[in-house]
């Protein structure tokens, strides 16, 4: 902007000087013509008119020089304007890139916030899993397996004291899953199985003389204390 103002001022000075030269040329030309017409009556003024003609020629040369300078300045101005336009285009491109960078940084920040939230959830879940594992370890420590081979009964109905001895047992599914009832479900009513939260992989309880077992899958019985 400062460069444009400077160029404008220079052009104004040259144009003003050009106008003054034109006025001076016109004035002196008229003055010279007047002297030439009067030279018949005033012969001693011929020398003055000749000098004016010489000055006019010098001013014309100066005027041509000024015109050349003005043309050169106009060409330089056009070149500078083209350069300025190129810089403006580059500036606009950089400004757009900065805007894109800010948008990407915002997305990265949002993803970082989400990742931190997921880490907090994972940490919480890990704590809950550890607590459940501690509970399971405590329960397992309270169960001592008796030194006796486990017993397996296929799916069916069995009577305690006849098909299996009374005692405290840990029951586990041999494979698959199915219903397991004791005394019609009034004493035990569970689904044994693995691989799903709906199923129980094992269950510990007391079988008493005369209890009726009903199972839809093969079950392993392990005596425990």
């Amino acid at each position: 902007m400062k460069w444009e103002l400077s160029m404008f001022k220079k052009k104004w000075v040259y144009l003003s000087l050009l106008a003054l030269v034109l006025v001076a040329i016109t004035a002196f030309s008229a003055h010279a013509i007047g002297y030439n017409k009067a030279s018949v009556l005033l012969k001693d003024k011929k020398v003055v008119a000749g000098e004016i003609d010489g000055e006019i020629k010098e001013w014309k040369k100066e005027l041509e020089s000024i015109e050349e300078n003005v043309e050169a300045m106009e060409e330089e101005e056009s070149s500078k304007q083209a350069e300025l336009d190129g810089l403006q285009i580059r500036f606009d491109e950089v400004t757009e890139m900065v805007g894109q960078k800010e948008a990407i940084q915002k997305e990265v920040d949002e993803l970082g916030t989400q990742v931190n939230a997921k880490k907090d959830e994972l940490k919480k879940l890990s704590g809950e899993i550890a607590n459940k594992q501690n509970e399971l370890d405590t329960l397992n420590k309270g169960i001592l397996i008796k030194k006796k081979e486990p017993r397996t009964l296929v799916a069916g109905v069995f009577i305690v004291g006849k098909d299996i001895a009374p005692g405290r047992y840990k029951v586990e599914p041999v494979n698959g899953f199915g219903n397991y009832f004791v005394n019609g479900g009034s004493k035990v009513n569970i689904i044994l199985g693995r691989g799903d939260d709906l199923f129980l992989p094992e269950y510990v309880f007391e079988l008493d003389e005369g209890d009726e077992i009903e199972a839809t899958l093969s079950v392993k019985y392990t005596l425990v204390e």
Side-chain angles (χ1 to χ4, degrees):
M1 188 64 182
K2 291 182 178 180
W3 179 83
E4 291 179 351
L5 290 174
S6 177
M7 291 294 296
F8 179 76
K9 289 179 179 179
K10 288 181 180 179
K11 287 182 66 177
W12 177 255
V13 171
Y14 280 119
L15 291 174
S16 298
L17 182 59
L18 179 61
L20 290 174
V21 170
L22 289 173
V23 172
I25 290 173
T26 303
F28 277 101
S29 296
H31 186 61
I33 292 171
Y35 274 108
N36 287 331
K37 288 182 179 179
S39 62
V40 178
L41 300 175
L42 302 173
K43 293 180 181 181
D44 57 336
K45 297 295 184 180
K46 287 184 178 179
V47 176
V48 176
E51 292 176 354
I52 292 173
D53 288 336
E55 291 181 5
I56 289 173
K57 290 179 181 180
E58 291 295 328
W59 287 344
K60 284 183 177 180
K61 290 181 180 180
E62 186 174 354
L63 176 61
E64 291 176 356
S65 177
I66 291 172
E67 289 176 344
E68 291 176 356
N69 289 334
V70 170
E71 290 178 358
M73 289 175 64
E74 289 177 345
E75 291 178 359
E76 183 178 0
E77 179 186 10
S78 177
S79 176
K80 293 294 183 182
Q81 185 61 48
E83 183 178 351
L84 181 62
D85 293 341
L87 290 174
Q88 182 63 46
I89 293 173
R90 181 58 180 164
F91 175 79
D92 293 339
E93 292 176 350
V94 172
T95 301
E96 183 179 358
M97 291 175 65
V98 170
Q100 293 176 354
K101 178 185 175 183
E102 292 176 352
I104 293 172
Q105 186 61 51
K106 184 178 179 182
E107 292 180 2
V108 170
D109 293 341
E110 290 177 353
L111 288 174
T113 301
Q114 294 177 7
V115 169
N116 291 332
K118 292 299 181 182
K119 285 182 178 179
D120 292 338
E121 291 181 8
L122 180 60
K123 185 177 180 181
K124 183 179 179 181
L125 288 174
S126 298
E128 293 178 355
I129 291 172
N131 292 334
K132 293 297 182 183
Q133 186 63 48
N134 291 334
E135 292 178 6
L136 180 60
D137 292 342
T138 301
L139 291 173
N140 288 335
K141 287 179 181 179
I143 299 174
L144 298 177
I145 298 176
K146 290 184 177 182
K147 293 182 180 180
K148 192 173 182 179
E149 289 296 322
R151 175 81 180 276
T152 299
L153 296 178
V154 298
V157 179
F158 306 93
I159 303 297
V160 178
K162 180 180 178 181
D163 300 307
I164 188 170
R168 190 164 185 252
Y169 287 92
K170 178 177 74 171
V171 294
E172 301 172 88
V174 176
N175 51 53
F177 64 92
N179 295 318
Y180 185 87
F181 304 115
V182 177
N183 297 337
S186 61
K187 186 172 184 178
V188 177
N189 184 354
I190 59 175
I191 300 177
L192 287 175
R194 293 185 175 87
D196 196 298
D197 293 340
L198 298 175
F199 309 146
L200 288 176
E202 60 184 33
Y203 188 74
V204 177
F205 69 103
E206 191 80 27
L207 278 175
D208 298 316
E209 185 80 23
D211 286 342
E212 183 183 79
I213 300 170
E214 182 181 355
T216 61
L217 75 165
S218 295
V219 178
K220 182 175 73 171
Y221 295 80
T222 305
L223 277 170
V224 297
E225 294 181 356

